[in-house]
């Protein structure tokens, strides 16, 4: 007698299971197939090509009515199963029909997750799961704005599809980079770039707050930071949840999904489940490959045959034209793991392999995925790669061949990339000069002026020569930042400016970094370059800072910290001193010292106490002294006209004004100033980074002094008449230093490289440039002239505490 | 046998960062890499006991904040020319929570006593 099989859900998984069942034993079961969607099994994956206009719905139908008829399937499409009676072995359909079963198969798939933001139930807020959603998106054209929440596979396919139809699409993603579960930062950066080229706006690290509506219809998405993104349609593609409600109501064992064993049988021996609705060994599923494996097993189980479902490695590709990416296996850094990274900035290629015990365990590729199957095979088969390790990353064709090219980054630059910032010379100009016969650095300098001024682009000019002339030009060796890159500090700084690189991942990719995420040497330097050149766009990365700058205090040899509040120009008050004394008592500070910088140091404060002591000092009106920073430290002053019989100008007042203008700014190395009231120079201004000596006629501003590892007297930059000019020249000089110096060069080293005349031209002679420098400094200060202590007390106090305290528990 | 204890949420530690867990025998540093792996090590550099939790995390290593020794988070071994090793402890992440092995932490305590 034929047995009755009722199937709930006509999706891709149950569809494949039925095919297997009918192939192996036609007529064994009498099948009734319910589907909530008003249609049978179609290729859900291909909804994206349908959306993009590359396919139609008819192209993606898997089982048409002829197929169901031939197999004798009773189709109840557009009908839901609403209840199951396991004792009676019946299902109840939405219209009340009760049907008996011998075996019941769940293939209910999953539901898109909708973040319960205020406004999520407005008209025009949809998910991306079925044909209806797709048709809704297809109605969006050039006059429409769309916001997609979610920068994963689905969200990006939705975004690209609508953008292809001309809609104005913005993707909002909560994480720092796109597709973070499949891609690392570098590949995420390349993907973002490719999507932006398609006209899609991508916002990462963006938190959605509320969906705004008008007359019941979505109007805009509001982000945490107050940004409003207007939209006619809002697509949420933030993940899926196995559809388990019916199974749970029927009393089946359910966790994240419907629990199944290796035979795909649920906790009820007559009920099976397959597809995205199941949970197997703690795992749930979202790609078809594993579902098809499950379908084979479930068909065999239904026929009483032996079969076992085993989870396998998975790989991911994105179905967006022009974005070739691939990721497979596990690419997390881990126990005994090692990375091989290859980047070709000229082709926008990134490849990374993760190796463990001579076996490839993970792979991420962007740009050139031709070899992805070969790598996937190595992962799946756990092939021993020890023999091909050296050349592995180049793929099967290159075994024994190619080498990394240290010139790739420069070769990749377009002709209009500016190489020499001082003289505005582009790569194309240099190439033309070479073609016209200038074949060495001196000739290039003479004909184009490139590298003829501050000289920091010399390395890049030489590399353009090498790329253009090949073996005929030998680059003098210069020191790269660290082992992560072949480029020097100067090269990388120019690349950041001329190629508008605004994130660490962008620098790593476009400059061909050899490690996945840099090291303790390059990261702090890159962090500074990025924040100095793109103060508004780049977000400071505390994790790329040395501990002192991350915790805004100086670490001591025993792991405690020192706390130095600012004393503007060395001036303090009894109240401030009382607050410092109280803090020293309250936090049991072992040492209180007067520093060489005219202020007071509280040494030996416990890390956990930092936010509290800062809050106390803040309450008395004091802010961080940045005694720990590559930034403005102190402005020493003498008493000047206020008290001294020789004082010529208000040196204390000017010192305070300078400190208030400059504090909080980050610089390549620390910056110290002093203002003395007369040439007796009690503030030791002539050995500071910038020193001002007041004289009867005005102010002598000098720069480039040193009194640390080297001792050096400052050189005169300019004599000015007014206090404001003294401040302007100083600020402009500091900004010039911020924009051009190598990380960890004090100003005297910077000046030695570019020459004092070059500095004077910009800061003293060219008033337009002076003004522009000051404006750029002020723009940066609009972000950074804030007390980091107060900010940390407010937002980060918790991070100064231990993660957990097990001292008590361990004592038990 | 492992006896996992729930310490905190993974997001309580920034990517490429660390926080400490206090025990009676001093602190254990818990690291989170860029790829969301977690590691637990004694918070004391083999050189001069520098607090490793305050270092810069890169790849699966940390650079000690005091004198720049680079320590492998996986093995606790000092890298390059430097020699020395820090004790490591089992750590894992499940459902966004960081788990440490209580039994191990206790052994550590006994060993230290
Ligand atoms: C606290 C203080 C010594 C004191 O007790 O007076 C001090 C303490 C340190 N100095 Fe200094 N310097 C201090 C004034 C100076 C001065 C004098 C001055 O500022 O007038 C100099 C010479 C002037 C100069 O900067 O050129 C000075 C030249 C240095 C140098 C060498 C810099 C150079 O370019 O040659 C370093 C090393 C470095 O920065 O790389 C350094 C580094 C350090 C560090 C941060 C060492 C470190 O990295 O841990 C010390 C931190 C101690 C701690 O644990 O808190 N310190 N240091 C002074 C703080 C001044 C302030 O109020 O902010
Ligand atoms: C746009 C898009 C692109 C994708 N791209 C890829 C890709 O590139 N690669 C890849 O591997 N995977 C991709 N996927 C995922 C893949 O489509 C799914 O993994 C697969 O379709 C799941 O199959 P399923 O049979 O488990 O569930 P579904 O195909 O979701 O089928 C479940 C069916 O059950 C019905 N149902 C639910 N409850 C009931 C009930 N009570 N009564 C009756 N019927 C019910 C539902 O209406 C639904 O039709 C993509 C998915 C989408 C949405
Ligand atoms: S001179 Fe400066 S760096 Fe050297 S021990 Fe003294 S405070 Fe420390
Ligand atoms: S204590 Fe760690 S390097 Fe010295």
């Amino acid at each position: 007698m034929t047995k009755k099989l009722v199937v709930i859900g006509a999706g891709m998984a149950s569809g494949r299971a039925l095919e297997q069942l009918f192939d192996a034993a036609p007529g064994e079961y009498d099948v009734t197939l319910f589907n909530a969607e008003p249609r049978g099994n179609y290729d859900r994956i291909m909804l994206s090509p349908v959306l993009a206009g590359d396919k139609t719905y008819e192209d993606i139908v898997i089982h048409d009515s002829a197929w169901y008829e031939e197999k004798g399937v009773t189709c109840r499409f557009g009908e839901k199963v609403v209840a199951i009676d396991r004792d009676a072995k019946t299902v109840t359909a939405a219209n009340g029909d009760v049907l008996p079963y011998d075996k019941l198969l769940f293939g209910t798939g999953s539901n898109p997750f909708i973040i319960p933001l205020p406004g999520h139930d407005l008209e025009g807020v949809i998910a991306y799961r079925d044909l209806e959603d797709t048709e809704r998106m297809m109605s969006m054209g050039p006059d429409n704005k769309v916001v997609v929440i979610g920068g994963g596979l689905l969200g990006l396919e939705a975004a690209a599809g609508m953008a292809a139809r001309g809609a104005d699409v913005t993707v909002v993603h909560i994480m720092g980079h796109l597709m973070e579960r499949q891609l690392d930062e570098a590949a995420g950066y390349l993907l973002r770039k490719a999507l932006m080229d398609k006209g899609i706006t991508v916002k990462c690290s963006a938190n959605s707050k509320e969906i705004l509506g008008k007359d019941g219809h979505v109007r805009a998405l509001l982000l945490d930071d107050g940004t409003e993104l207007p939209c006619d349609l809002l697509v949420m593609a933030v993940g899926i949840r196995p559809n388990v409600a019916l199974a749970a109501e029927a009393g089946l064992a359910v966790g994240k999904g419907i629990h199944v064993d290796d035979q795909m049988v649920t906790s009820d021996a007559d009920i099976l489940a397959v597809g995205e609705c199941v949970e197997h060994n703690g795992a749930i599923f979202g790609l078809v490959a594993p579902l098809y494996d499950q379908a084979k097993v479930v068909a065999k189980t239904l026929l009483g045959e032996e079969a076992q479902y085993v989870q396998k490695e998975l790989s991911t590709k994105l179905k967006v034209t022009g974005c070739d990416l691939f990721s497979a296996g596990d690419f997390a850094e881990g126990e005994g793991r090692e990375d091989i990274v290859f980047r070709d900035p000229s082709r926008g290629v990134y490849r990374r392999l993760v190796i463990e015990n001579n076996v490839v365990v993970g792979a991420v590729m962007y740009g050139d995925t031709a070899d992805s199957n070969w790598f996937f095979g190595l992962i799946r088969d756990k092939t021993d790669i020890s023999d091909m390790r050296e050349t592995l990353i180049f793929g099967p064709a290159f075994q024994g061949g190619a080498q990394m090219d240290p010139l790739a980054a420069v070769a990749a630059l377009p002709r209009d990339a500016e190489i020499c910032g001082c003289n505005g010379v582009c790569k194309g100009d240099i190439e033309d000069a070479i073609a016209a016969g200038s074949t060495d650095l001196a000739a290039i300098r003479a004909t184009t002026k490139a590298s003829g001024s501050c000289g920091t682009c010399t390395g890049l000019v030489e590399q353009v020569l090498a790329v253009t002339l090949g073996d005929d030009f030998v680059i003098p060796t210069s020191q790269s930042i660290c082992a992560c890159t072949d480029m020097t500090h100067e090269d990388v700084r120019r690349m950041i400016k001329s190629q508008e690189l605004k994130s660490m991942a962008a620098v790593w990719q476009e400059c061909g970094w050899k490690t996945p995420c840099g090291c303790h040497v390059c990261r702090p330097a890159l962090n500074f370059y990025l924040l100095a050149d793109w103060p508004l766009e780049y977000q400071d990365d505390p994790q790329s800072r040395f501990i002192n700058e991350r915790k805004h205090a100086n670490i001591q040899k025993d792991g405690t910290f020192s706390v130095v509040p600012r004393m503007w120009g060395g001036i303090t008050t009894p109240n401030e001193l009382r607050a410092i004394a109280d803090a020293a008592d309250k936090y049991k500070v072992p040492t209180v010292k007067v520093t060489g910088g005219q202020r007071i140091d509280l040494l030996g404060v416990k890390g956990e106490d930092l936010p509290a002591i800062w809050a106390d000092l803040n309450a008395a009106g004091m802010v961080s002294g940045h005694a720990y920073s590559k930034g403005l430290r102190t402005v020493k002053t003498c008493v000047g006209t206020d008290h001294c019989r020789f004082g010529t100008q208000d040196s204390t007042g000017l010192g305070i004004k300078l400190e208030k203008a400059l504090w909080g700014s980050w610089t390549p190395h620390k910056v110290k100033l002093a203002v003395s009231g007369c040439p007796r120079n009690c503030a030791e201004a002539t050995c500071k980074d910038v020193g001002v000596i007041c004289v009867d006629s005005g102010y002598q501003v000098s720069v480039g002094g040193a009194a640390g590892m080297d001792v050096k007297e400052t050189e005169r930059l300019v004599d000015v008449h007014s206090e404001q000019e003294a401040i302007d020249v100083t600020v402009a000089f500091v900004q010039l230093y911020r924009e051009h110096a190598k990380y960890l060069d004090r100003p005297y080293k910077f000046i030695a490289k570019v020459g004092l005349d070059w500095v004077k031209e910009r800061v003293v002679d060219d008033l337009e440039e002076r003004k522009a420098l000051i404006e750029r400094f002020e723009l940066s200060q609009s972000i950074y002239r804030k007390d980091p202590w107060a900010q940390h007390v407010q937002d980060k106090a918790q991070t100064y505490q231990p993660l957990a305290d097990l001292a008590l528990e361990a004592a038990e | 046998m492992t006896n996992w204890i729930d310490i905190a949420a993974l997001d309580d530690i920034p990517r490429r960062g660390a926080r400490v867990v206090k025990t009676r025998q001093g602190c254990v540093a818990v690291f989170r890499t860029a790829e969301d792996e977690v590691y637990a090590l004694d918070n004391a550099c083999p050189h001069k006991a520098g607090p490793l939790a305050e270092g810069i995390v890169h790849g699966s290593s940390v650079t000690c904040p005091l004198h720049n020794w680079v320590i492998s988070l996986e093995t606790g071994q000092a890298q390059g020319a430097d020699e020395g090793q820090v004790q490591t402890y089992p750590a894992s992440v499940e459902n966004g929570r960081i788990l440490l092995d209580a039994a191990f932490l206790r052994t550590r305590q006994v060993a230290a006593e």
Side-chain angles (χ1 to χ4, degrees), chain A residues 175 185 332-334 336 352 517-518 520 523 543 546-547 550-551 557 608 798-799 801-804 806-807 810, chain B residues 8 13-17 19-22 24 35 37 39 51 54-59 63 65-66 74 105 109:
Chain A
M175 303 303 290
E185 263 173 287
E333 275 142 6
R352 169 156 167 233
C517 70
H520 69 275
R523 284 226 316 269
Q543 301 317 125
F546 182 63
I547 180 63
R550 197 180 325 134
K551 287 204 165 164
K557 63 179 190 176
E608 295 155 63
Q798 198 48 43
T799 64
Q801 304 310 315
L803 194 55
L806 300 180
Chain B
I13 306 181
R15 288 222 166 96
R16 296 193 192 103
R19 300 268 300 270
V20 298
V21 171
K22 271 195 170 171
R24 274 208 310 164
E35 319 280 10
E37 298 276 331
Y39 295 99
E54 317 282 21
I56 290 182
V57 178
H58 46 101
T63 300
L66 293 197
E74 294 149 9
L105 293 174
Q109 184 181 347

Side-chain angles (χ1 to χ4, degrees), chain A residues 9 11-13 35-37 44 81 107 109 129 154 243 276 288 319:
Chain A
M12 297 181 72
N35 201 23
E37 277 181 71
R44 196 177 296 286
V81 171
R129 181 72 192 174
L154 276 193
N243 186 352
E276 279 184 351
V288 288
K319 302 187 298 298

Side-chain angles (χ1 to χ4, degrees), chain A residues 546 548 554-557 561-564 593-601 603 625-628 630 633-634 636 669-670 672 684 687-689 705-710 744 746 748-749:
Chain A
F546 182 63
N548 289 2
N554 283 67
I555 196 162
Q556 321 271 302
K557 63 179 190 176
F561 292 86
S562 65
V563 171
V564 185
K593 183 179 181 303
V594 175
T595 73
Q598 295 187 336
R599 45 200 191 165
I600 293 176
D601 194 351
L603 293 128
H626 293 89
Y628 45 79
K630 310 281 177 254
R633 295 285 181 93
T634 54
K636 276 172 78 161
H669 203 312
K670 55 196 182 190
K672 297 173 177 180
E684 301 166 319
C687 62
K688 295 292 181 258
D689 299 298
M709 288 177 273
D710 293 313
L744 298 188
R746 288 288 284 266
Y748 73 94
K749 290 193 179 160

